[in-house]
Amino acid sequence: MPTGSNSDTKWKGSREAWLDAAFDLLLDSGVDSVRILPLAKRLDVSRTSFYWFFKDREALLEALVERWREKNTQGLVRQTQAYAETIVEAILNVFDCWLDPELFDSQLEFAMRSWALQSEEVAKEIDTADEARIEALTRMFERFGYEPLAANVRGRTIYLTQIGYISMKTQEALEVRMRRIPAYVEIFTGQAPQARELQRFQARHGYTREGTQAASGTAGH
């Protein structure tokens, strides 16, 4: 990446700024809106400065796919591999994804799946991501002693349920989500969560019974 003075950076933006603006347009209006001139106007920089960071629009779109792959696919896979003493704790680690957009961005996932309807290449990326995520969930169950078929069915159930909620753009109050979590955990794992496991999960998401925040894209939590 070219380097230069602060004034140069202000004039041409930065690679991350172009990507951030592209994601905003993707989320707001779909992939057809992700074009160089609207991005330059949004960033208040020269149109030609785009070429400091990307060869062309296709290179920008490829970078968007790569960022989504790292954010959502790798974010979910890492959560399936996070330390847990029980399968319940492991599932709650995965549920962190549905509550923390830094781990898994549901709005971005919806935008990517919408894009896939127009692009065979992006559709292939989605298929690859789905396979990798389900495989990671399957391996998580297998680590806790579930037979391969049962592990796969449970992993698929968790994942496809969540993708269904994202596709429906479901919104739920945080309190409603938290009330449903124990039942979801038991359905997905066959084990009822312990109070201390739920308390740790709630604490790391700052949940109190007074919370009435709305959240979207979560599997019925």
Side-chain angles (χ1 to χ4, degrees):
M1 182 185 300
T3 58
S5 67
N6 288 340
S7 61
D8 287 340
T9 299
K10 183 177 180 181
W11 171 74
K12 60 180 178 287
S14 68
R15 188 176 190 276
E16 290 305 302
W18 282 96
L19 278 172
D20 288 343
F23 266 118
D24 287 343
L25 281 177
L26 178 66
L27 293 173
D28 290 345
S29 310
V31 69
D32 288 342
S33 69
V34 182
R35 298 192 176 276
I36 299 169
L37 184 57
L39 289 170
K41 289 181 176 178
R42 179 170 288 221
L43 291 171
D44 193 23
V45 297
S46 165
R47 181 179 188 275
T48 58
S49 67
F50 171 86
Y51 298 100
W52 281 81
F53 307 104
F54 302 99
K55 179 182 176 181
D56 51 26
R57 179 175 181 266
E58 287 304 311
L60 172 65
L61 295 181
E62 288 173 9
L64 289 179
V65 172
E66 175 59 33
R67 185 189 267 194
W68 160 78
R69 190 186 297 125
E70 168 61 26
K71 174 90 167 188
N72 282 9
T73 298
Q74 293 306 312
L76 177 57
V77 169
R78 282 191 290 267
Q79 286 304 105
T80 69
Q81 298 168 344
Y83 175 79
E85 293 185 356
T86 66
I87 185 59
V88 168
E89 287 186 344
I91 288 294
L92 291 173
N93 287 338
V94 172
F95 283 2
D96 287 339
C97 291
W98 319 146
L99 289 159
D100 185 353
E102 291 302 312
L103 297 175
F104 187 100
D105 190 325
S106 294
Q107 288 186 322
L108 174 57
E109 189 71 18
F110 181 88
M112 290 296 297
R113 288 176 183 275
S114 297
W115 181 5
L117 298 175
Q118 306 172 45
S119 167
E120 184 176 344
E121 289 303 311
V122 176
K124 290 178 181 177
E125 291 282 352
I126 294 289
D127 289 344
T128 299
D130 288 341
E131 184 177 344
R133 296 168 187 180
I134 291 171
E135 178 62 23
L137 288 162
T138 300
R139 290 197 301 269
M140 180 186 72
F141 278 102
E142 289 178 340
R143 288 199 304 273
F144 288 93
Y146 291 77
E147 294 297 323
L149 179 58
N152 181 256
V153 170
R154 290 176 188 273
R156 288 176 61 82
T157 301
I158 292 170
Y159 182 69
L160 296 177
T161 300
Q162 179 61 26
I163 294 302
Y165 271 81
I166 290 171
S167 298
M168 294 170 64
K169 303 186 79 171
T170 301
Q171 295 191 3
E172 293 174 329
L174 181 60
E175 184 176 3
V176 172
R177 180 180 303 187
M178 287 295 184
R179 284 204 310 266
R180 290 175 175 171
I181 279 178
Y184 269 90
V185 168
E186 189 165 5
I187 289 168
F188 291 148
T189 68
Q191 299 181 25
Q194 299 295 315
R196 64 180 181 275
E197 293 170 325
L198 291 172
Q199 288 165 0
R200 283 195 293 268
F201 176 78
Q202 293 168 354
R204 64 181 179 255
H205 294 290
Y207 171 70
T208 63
R209 292 205 173 270
E210 290 74 27
T212 56
Q213 302 154 267
S216 63
T218 299
H221 304 344

